[in-house]
Amino acid sequence: MQLLLKSIFTCALLVIFVYATAQSLLKVQESEARRAYLNGTSTSSSSSSSSNLSQDGHFLSRRLRQAMHGEEGEEGAPSQMEDDLNQLMKTNVDAPDKEELRRCSVGLVLPVWTPEFNISLGDRLIRGFVYFVLLIYLFVGVSIIADRFMAAIEAITSIERAVVVKGPNNVKQVMHVRIWNETVANLTLMALGSSAPEILLSVIEIYAKDFESGDLGPGTIVGSAAYNLFMIIAVCMIWIPAGEVRRIRHLRVFFVTALFSIFAYVWLWLILSVFTPGVILVWEAIVTLLFFPLTVLWAYIAERRMLVYKYMDKNYRVNKRGTVVAGEHDQVEMDAEKGPKHPMVTSARGTDAEAFDEARREYITVLTELRQKYPDADLEQLEMMAQEQVLARSSKSRAFYRIQATRKMVGSGNLMRKIQERAHSDLTEVKAQLHAGDDDEADDPIRMYFEPGHYTVMENCGEFEVRVVRRGDISTYASVEYETQDGTASAGTDFVGRKGLLSFPPGVDEQRFRIEVIDDDVFEEDECFYIRLFNPSEGVKLAVPMIATVMILDDDHAGIFAFTDSVFEITESVGKFELKVMRYSGARGTVIVPYWTENDTATDAKDYEEARGELIFENNESEKFIDLYILEESSYEKDVSFKVHIGEPRLAPDSTHYPKIMEVEKKSVQDLTELDRILLLSKPRNGELTTAYVRIRESQEFKATVDKLVAKANVSAVLGTSSWKEQFKDALTVIPADESEFDNDDDAEEEVPSCFSYVSHFICLFWKVLFAFVPPTDICGGYVTFVVSIFVIGVITAIIGDAASYFGCALNIKDSVTAILFVALGTSIPDTFASMIAAKHDEGADNCIGNVTGSNAVNVFLGIGLAWTIAAVYHSSHGATFNVEPGTIGFAVALFCGEALIAIFLIMFRRWHKGIGAELGGPKVSKYISAAILVFLWVFYVVICILEAYDVIDV
C-alpha cells in the first residue's frame, strides 16, 4: 500500500510537470513564431524595433496581428502598423512585468545555464528535465540532512533534570524529567526541524534578491500549508487500519494551533491587500514575527490549563489510588476507548511521580503478558522483550516518525531494529550497574574465614572436615592459627580438642582440617562447641565468620522437629523455594512428619501452589526440605504471605524402636520402669516452631531493574548517534525497511533488503556519506549537530531556490506556480510518510493533525515574518519601503483561508458525529468521503491558483 502511494505521488508530479511544461512551451513556440514573422515582414525602420521587440518577447496586440494578416494592402495600413509597433515598444518600457519569456536572474549559488535566448524547444525541454531531476535529488538530500537536524533537536529536547518526588507510601524517589515541555518543543524546535527548508528558502530568497520580495519563498510556504492541511490529513484518514480510529488527545492545543494557522493567512492577506496594499511596513513585519512566540505561549497556557483555562469545564474522576481528581475530557474519552490494555495512559495531567508509576505499571503488565506467552523463557530474556515492547509502545515525537519515514525511503532501515538493540543494551547496562560491586574483591585486603560458618554433625559421625578459605590476593604466602573451644559440649567427653596452624602457599585459596566427635550410648540433649581463627600472618584480615559453630546431634533419640525460623522472606521470581525442617536432639530411627500449607494474605493457585504431604527422615538424617512453588506475577509492590505447618511426627512402622514403644504405651503409668520412661522420652516430638510464615515480596534487584529500565524507556536516544564510525557504518549499510513488531516468534526468518531498498540506497549514497561527516548527536548534547545541520540545510536550500528558479525560467513557468506545485510538494512528501507512520502506530491523532496546524502557523510567522522583517528593516534604514506585489500570493492566501475553514469544520464534524467519533479512521464510507472532500479542496486550490497566475481568470 505504501509503495502504491509512493507511485501515485510520483506519477502525479510527472503529470503536473508534463502538463505545465507543455502549456508553457506552447507559449514559447508561439512567441518564437511571432518573432520570426515580425522580422520578415517589417520595414527597415521598424525592423530594428521589431528585432528588439522579439528579443524581449512581449505580447503582440490583436490589432497588430490583424495588420500583419491581410491589412497591408489597405490604405494607411503601414502607418497603422508602425503606430502599433511604436506603442508596443513603449509598453516594453512601461510594463516590464508583462514579459512572456522570462530572463533568468543569476542565482545565489548555482550558475545559470547559458545561453538563455535563441535556443530550441528541445534544448528547453532538456534543461527543464535536468533541473527537475536536480530538484528531486536536492529534495532527497535536504530530507536526509533535515532528519539529522531532527535527531539533534530530539537530543536537545530530551535533556532531563533530576527531581525528588514522593512515591507510594510517601517514599521519596529521585526521577529524571524532561526540561522541555512537549507542546513548546513541538511548536518551536520540532516545527523548525520539519519546516526548516521552507523557512530558510524564504529568508535566503530575500537575501538573494537584494532584499526585494520574491514569489518562491512565500509561495512554497502557502503551497506547503495547503498540501499539509488537505492532502496529508486525507491520506491519514484512509491509512488507519479498518475498525480503528485516532482522536486528538490535546484538543485545547489543537484549537489554539488551528486558530493561529488560519489567522496567520488572514493576517497575510490583511497586510498584503488591505492595510497598505503592495507595501510591507516595519511594524507589520515585526508583528508577524512576534505572532510566533505568542502562538507558542498561548498553546503552552492551554496545555497547562493556566489563566482562563483553569475556569473552564473540568471532568472529575477517581484515579487508581481512590482519589477524586480533575481530568481532561479528551483524556477520559481516550482512556475509555483504550480500555485496560493500555494502563500507561490514565492520568495525562498527573504529577511526575504518578507518570513514573504509570510507566512502571505498563512495564509490569507487558512482562506479565510475555510470561504467559513464553512460560519457559528465563526472567532476563523476558525483561529484554518487555523493554523492547515498552519502547515500541511509548509515545513518540514528530522527529521519530519523520526520521523513520526518511530512512525507509532511502534504504537505511527501520528504527524499530534500533529499538531492539537499544533494549538489549539498556538491560545489559542496568544489570552491570546493579552488580557493579560484586566483583570488586580483588582490590580488598586478604581475608580469611570459615566456609561454612556452621556445622551440624551426628554424634556417631566419627570425624568431620572443617574448611577455611582465603579471598583477595592469593599470590603470596599466608597463615592463620585455629583452636577448638568448649560450649555445651566438652573437649575430651564429646569431641577431641584440637589446635594448629594452617599455611596457605602462593596460589592456594583454601585449607581443611578434621575434628573427631566422641560417641556414647547415653541419651543427651544436642550440644555444641566452637572453632576460632586467630593470629593471622601480616597483611591478612580475619573476616566473618571467624568463629565456626559445631552442633552435635545425639543419635540416641528419635529427634525434635521444627522449622529453623518463624518467618521466611522470599522473592516472587524464586520459582521453587525449599523450606528446611530440622531434626535435633537425636536422629535415631525413621520418622514421618506431615506438612501442609494455609492461605494468609497470599492465595493458593494465584500466588503459590498448595503443598500437602509427608517428610520421611531416615535414620541419622537431620534435615529435610518442603518444596514450595511460587507463582510469578511480577508485581512491583507485591507483599503477601502464607503459612506452612508441620504436624505431629511419628515413627515409621519399620523403625527398630517402633514395636518397643508401641508395647510400652500399652502399659499403665504405674507399671513403667525407668527404661520404659527413657524409651518414651526418645519418641519423636515437635519443637516450638511448627508454623512458618512465608512472605513473598518482589526482589530489590527486580525493583531496581524496573525503575532503571523505565527511566531509560525513551526512544530519543534511538534517533541519535554516538560516533562518526556508527554514522559511516549506517551510511554504507543497506537495512530492510520492514514493519515487524516485537511479538513475532523468535524463529522467524531474518528480513532481507528488497530491491527497492538497494536502489534507494545507491541513489542516496552520496548524501548519506556526505552527511555522515556531520558531528554525532552525543557531542555537546546535540547542539553541535544542530548548528552544523542548519547550516547545511541552508546551503542546500539555496541551491534548491536557484534550481527552482532556473527550472521555471527554462520552461517559462512563473515562480509562484513553481513554488505551489513543485517546491511545496518536494518539501512536504517526507512529512506525508511520517504522518502515515504516526497515524498507524500512535494512539492519538496529534502527530498527524495537531502538528500540521502548528507547522502551518509557524511557517508563516517565522518563515515569512523573519524574511519580511529583515527586508523591511533594511529598506527602512535606506529611506525606502519594502514593496510586495500581492499578485498570486495574495490570492492564494485568501483562497486557502476559506478552504482551511471548511477543512477544520470537517475534522470537528467527524469528531463529534456519533457514527464516527474521531478525526481519523472510522467507518469505511465516511473516511473515504471525508478524504475525497479534502483532496478536492487541494486540487481546486492548485488549479485556481495556476489559472489566476496566468491571468486565465481575473479575481
Side-chain angles (χ1 to χ4, degrees):
M1 183 65 182
Q2 188 171 354
L3 183 60
L4 176 63
L5 287 175
K6 292 178 183 178
S7 303
I8 292 175
F9 279 116
T10 304
C11 292
L13 282 175
L14 288 175
V15 169
I16 294 173
F17 166 71
V18 172
Y19 176 78
T21 302
Q23 292 296 320
S24 299
L25 290 180
L26 198 60
K27 294 183 179 180
V28 173
Q29 191 174 12
E30 292 176 358
S31 178
E32 295 287 352
R34 285 195 297 270
R35 282 201 203 94
Y37 186 84
L38 194 61
N39 288 334
T41 57
S42 59
T43 62
S44 60
S45 61
S46 62
S47 178
S48 175
S49 301
S50 174
S51 176
N52 293 334
L53 177 63
S54 72
Q55 291 281 336
D56 293 332
H58 288 142
F59 284 103
L60 297 178
S61 67
R62 179 176 179 274
R63 187 174 180 182
L64 182 60
R65 293 197 302 271
Q66 290 175 350
M68 289 180 177
H69 287 280
E71 296 184 5
E72 294 90 343
E74 298 180 10
E75 185 178 356
S79 61
Q80 183 64 52
M81 185 178 69
E82 186 175 351
D83 291 342
D84 285 340
L85 289 173
N86 292 333
Q87 181 65 31
L88 191 59
M89 292 188 63
K90 182 179 179 182
T91 305
N92 180 35
V93 177
D94 295 339
D97 58 331
K98 297 294 185 181
E99 290 182 347
E100 182 178 2
L101 296 180
R102 294 175 47 194
R103 176 181 293 276
C104 299
S105 58
V106 180
L108 186 63
V109 179
L110 200 64
V112 67
W113 192 338
T114 57
E116 297 184 57
F117 298 102
N118 297 325
I119 57 179
S120 65
L121 181 63
D123 196 355
R124 289 185 178 276
L125 283 172
I126 292 175
R127 292 187 184 191
F129 180 76
V130 170
Y131 283 127
F132 182 73
V133 173
L134 177 61
L135 275 174
I136 293 178
Y137 199 63
L138 289 171
F139 288 145
V140 173
V142 79
S143 178
I144 295 174
I145 187 61
D147 291 340
R148 300 282 299 127
F149 184 55
M150 295 285 274
I153 291 173
E154 184 73 10
I156 293 172
T157 56
S158 63
I159 296 175
E160 299 176 335
R161 59 186 175 89
V163 295
V164 179
V165 298
K166 289 185 177 181
N169 302 322
N170 290 325
V171 178
K172 291 186 177 180
Q173 294 177 307
V174 178
M175 298 191 321
H176 294 82
V177 297
R178 289 194 175 190
I179 296 175
W180 280 79
N181 176 269
E182 181 183 0
T183 298
V184 174
N186 283 338
L187 287 178
T188 53
L189 295 182
M190 290 299 177
L192 178 62
S194 61
S195 305
E198 296 98 316
I199 295 172
L200 289 176
L201 180 62
S202 179
V203 176
I204 291 172
E205 186 186 32
I206 287 291
Y207 174 77
K209 291 184 174 294
D210 295 328
F211 299 97
E212 297 294 341
S213 66
D215 291 333
L216 202 59
T220 300
I221 289 178
V222 178
S224 177
Y227 180 86
N228 291 346
L229 185 60
F230 303 137
M231 290 301 295
I232 290 183
I233 296 179
V235 171
C236 290
M237 278 184 183
I238 62 177
W239 189 248
I240 303 298
E244 297 184 16
V245 295
R246 302 289 187 270
R247 293 171 57 86
I248 296 175
R249 294 168 56 189
H250 303 292
L251 190 59
R252 294 192 306 272
V253 176
F254 168 74
F255 282 147
V256 173
T257 56
L259 174 65
F260 272 96
S261 67
I262 296 177
F263 171 75
Y265 293 93
V266 173
W267 174 256
L268 274 187
W269 175 74
L270 289 175
I271 62 177
L272 280 173
S273 305
V274 178
F275 294 160
T276 53
V279 177
I280 300 298
L281 302 179
V282 175
W283 73 267
E284 293 174 334
I286 293 178
V287 169
T288 303
L289 182 61
L290 290 178
F291 277 131
F292 168 63
L294 179 62
T295 304
V296 176
L297 179 61
W298 196 349
Y300 175 76
I301 291 173
E303 192 262 345
R304 301 297 295 175
R305 197 180 275 274
M306 300 165 64
L307 299 180
V308 67
Y309 288 98
K310 67 182 179 181
Y311 300 108
M312 298 175 68
D313 177 57
K314 295 182 181 180
N315 293 273
Y316 294 90
R317 59 190 176 86
V318 179
N319 65 9
K320 291 187 175 183
R321 302 169 70 180
T323 306
V324 179
V325 296
E328 186 179 354
H329 178 67
D330 307 316
Q331 189 61 42
V332 176
E333 290 181 351
M334 288 292 294
D335 295 339
E337 290 169 2
K338 290 186 297 183
K341 185 178 179 180
H342 303 284
M344 185 175 179
V345 185
T346 55
S347 179
R349 296 295 175 266
T351 64
D352 293 331
E354 290 172 341
F356 190 80
D357 288 341
E358 295 294 346
R360 191 162 51 198
R361 280 191 284 270
E362 167 77 358
Y363 181 89
I364 296 300
T365 302
V366 172
L367 190 62
T368 302
E369 293 173 356
L370 289 172
R371 176 169 285 112
Q372 294 173 355
K373 188 173 184 179
Y374 305 102
D376 298 330
D378 57 34
L379 180 61
E380 186 168 334
Q381 182 181 5
L382 293 175
E383 287 175 338
M384 186 182 72
M385 295 170 66
Q387 182 70 354
E388 290 177 11
Q389 292 202 12
V390 168
L391 283 171
R393 293 183 184 181
S394 62
S395 60
K396 301 174 183 65
S397 66
R398 180 72 175 179
F400 179 89
Y401 293 116
R402 172 65 185 263
I403 296 175
Q404 170 79 326
T406 302
R407 289 196 175 194
K408 293 173 71 175
M409 286 193 294
V410 301
S412 293
N414 197 323
L415 284 176
M416 295 302 178
R417 293 178 177 271
K418 294 196 71 174
I419 287 181
Q420 287 180 314
E421 299 172 359
R422 167 72 189 281
H424 185 271
S425 64
D426 281 352
L427 184 62
T428 303
E429 181 182 346
V430 167
K431 294 295 185 182
Q433 291 176 356
L434 295 176
H435 301 148
D438 293 351
D439 300 323
D440 295 339
E441 297 177 351
D443 298 332
D444 293 340
I446 302 174
R447 306 182 314 280
M448 289 186 182
Y449 52 89
F450 288 104
E451 189 178 84
H454 188 279
Y455 295 87
T456 301
V457 297
M458 299 303 300
E459 189 181 51
N460 60 356
C461 70
E463 291 183 343
F464 68 94
E465 193 173 62
V466 180
R467 180 170 176 256
V468 179
V469 298
R470 172 172 66 162
R471 294 291 181 263
D473 184 11
I474 63 173
S475 62
T476 60
Y477 177 86
S479 64
V480 67
E481 295 185 52
Y482 69 92
E483 67 175 358
T484 58
Q485 292 182 340
D486 290 351
T488 54
S490 304
T493 304
D494 301 302
F495 67 94
V496 177
R498 187 170 179 181
K499 181 177 181 181
L501 176 69
L502 297 177
S503 298
F504 292 80
V508 176
D509 61 353
E510 71 173 48
Q511 289 288 3
R512 303 171 185 244
F513 61 93
R514 303 185 70 83
I515 301 291
E516 182 181 354
V517 177
I518 301 175
D519 188 15
D520 58 35
D521 294 329
V522 180
F523 168 72
E524 52 191 351
E525 296 290 337
D526 294 344
E527 300 173 313
C528 66
F529 67 96
Y530 308 99
I531 311 171
R532 75 179 184 96
L533 300 176
F534 65 98
N535 194 21
S537 59
E538 185 178 356
V540 177
K541 178 182 178 181
L542 296 179
V544 176
M546 64 183 70
I547 298 178
T549 303
V550 182
M551 179 69 69
I552 303 176
L553 300 183
D554 186 75
D555 60 348
D556 301 314
H557 188 277
I560 298 175
F561 298 86
F563 293 111
T564 56
D565 203 347
S566 59
V567 177
F568 295 88
E569 189 170 301
I570 61 175
T571 62
E572 185 186 33
S573 58
V574 70
K576 183 178 77 170
F577 174 63
E578 295 180 339
L579 181 61
K580 182 188 291 188
V581 178
M582 289 295 301
R583 180 187 196 181
Y584 58 93
S585 295
R588 178 171 293 180
T590 302
V591 179
I592 300 174
V593 180
Y595 67 87
W596 65 93
T597 58
E598 180 186 352
N599 291 341
D600 190 27
T601 55
T603 306
D604 62 279
K606 179 178 181 295
D607 300 304
Y608 70 99
E609 290 185 4
E610 182 183 12
R612 183 178 296 272
E614 294 178 335
L615 298 176
I616 301 177
F617 287 79
E618 301 293 343
N619 186 45
N620 290 335
E621 191 172 17
S622 60
E623 60 184 34
K624 295 290 282 186
F625 296 92
I626 300 174
D627 292 337
L628 302 174
Y629 292 92
I630 309 302
L631 303 179
E632 268 192 278
E633 290 183 315
S634 296
S635 175
Y636 182 83
E637 296 293 343
K638 188 167 190 175
D639 187 359
V640 294
S641 62
F642 64 96
K643 302 175 185 177
V644 182
H645 305 279
I646 57 174
E648 192 68 28
R650 66 183 188 275
L651 284 171
D654 59 350
S655 176
T656 305
H657 292 78
Y658 182 77
K660 297 180 182 180
I661 293 178
M662 294 298 293
E663 186 177 335
V664 170
E665 286 182 341
K666 295 178 182 179
K667 297 181 180 180
S668 62
V669 178
Q670 294 81 4
D671 298 335
L672 293 177
T673 64
E674 188 65 26
L675 290 176
D676 291 338
R677 291 190 179 90
I678 294 175
L679 189 61
L680 288 176
L681 289 175
S682 67
K683 285 177 54 179
R685 63 180 186 272
N686 279 333
E688 294 181 359
L689 300 177
T690 58
T691 299
Y693 284 85
V694 180
R695 185 179 184 185
I696 308 174
R697 302 187 66 181
E698 197 49 84
S699 67
Q700 291 299 319
E701 178 177 342
F702 178 79
K703 294 175 70 174
T705 301
V706 172
D707 288 347
K708 290 181 180 293
L709 287 178
V710 169
K712 288 178 172 288
N714 181 5
V715 297
S716 61
V718 176
L719 306 181
T721 52
S722 58
S723 65
W724 272 287
K725 178 181 178 181
E726 178 185 353
Q727 293 182 174
F728 279 101
K729 181 181 177 182
D730 291 342
L732 298 173
T733 305
V734 184
I735 304 175
D738 61 275
E739 293 285 350
S740 61
E741 297 294 337
F742 298 114
D743 55 357
N744 293 339
D745 295 336
D746 296 336
D747 57 354
E749 294 183 1
E750 184 178 355
E751 293 287 338
V752 178
S754 64
C755 180
F756 178 79
S757 297
Y758 278 107
V759 172
S760 301
H761 170 74
F762 286 110
I763 290 176
C764 306
L765 185 60
F766 168 76
W767 295 121
K768 291 182 177 181
V769 174
L770 179 63
F771 299 147
F773 287 97
V774 175
T777 55
D778 280 6
I779 298 179
C780 298
Y783 286 100
V784 177
T785 311
F786 180 92
V787 174
V788 174
S789 298
I790 196 70
F791 173 77
V792 176
I793 292 174
V795 173
I796 299 179
T797 303
I799 301 175
I800 288 176
D802 293 345
S805 180
Y806 294 158
F807 167 75
C809 185
L811 300 180
N812 199 34
I813 301 175
K814 290 190 174 184
D815 277 348
S816 58
V817 177
T818 303
I820 291 174
L821 274 180
F822 301 104
V823 185
L825 264 66
T827 56
S828 298
I829 284 180
D831 286 325
T832 304
F833 293 110
S835 296
M836 290 163 58
I837 298 174
K840 185 175 182 180
H841 295 285
D842 257 10
E843 296 177 349
D846 299 76
N847 272 323
C848 305
I849 300 178
N851 280 338
V852 165
T853 55
S855 179
N856 287 351
V858 171
N859 283 356
V860 173
F861 295 143
L862 188 57
I864 296 181
L866 180 60
W868 284 2
T869 298
I870 294 173
V873 171
Y874 174 83
H875 285 284
S876 177
S877 64
H878 288 77
T881 58
F882 176 48
N883 299 320
V884 179
E885 180 63 31
T888 302
I889 300 302
F891 174 77
V893 165
L895 179 61
F896 173 76
C897 290
E899 292 192 352
L901 289 173
I902 298 175
I904 298 298
F905 173 79
L906 175 64
I907 292 172
M908 291 297 98
F909 172 80
R910 287 176 50 83
R911 180 185 180 89
W912 289 315
H913 190 276
K914 293 182 179 180
I916 305 175
E919 293 83 356
L920 303 180
K924 186 175 181 179
V925 175
S926 65
K927 71 178 181 181
Y928 275 98
I929 292 176
S930 301
I933 293 174
L934 293 177
V935 172
F936 170 77
L937 290 176
W938 182 73
V939 173
F940 181 79
Y941 168 82
V942 171
V943 171
I944 296 299
C945 286
I946 293 176
L947 294 177
E948 194 277 336
Y950 287 106
D951 298 322
V952 177
I953 60 174
D954 187 12
V955 181

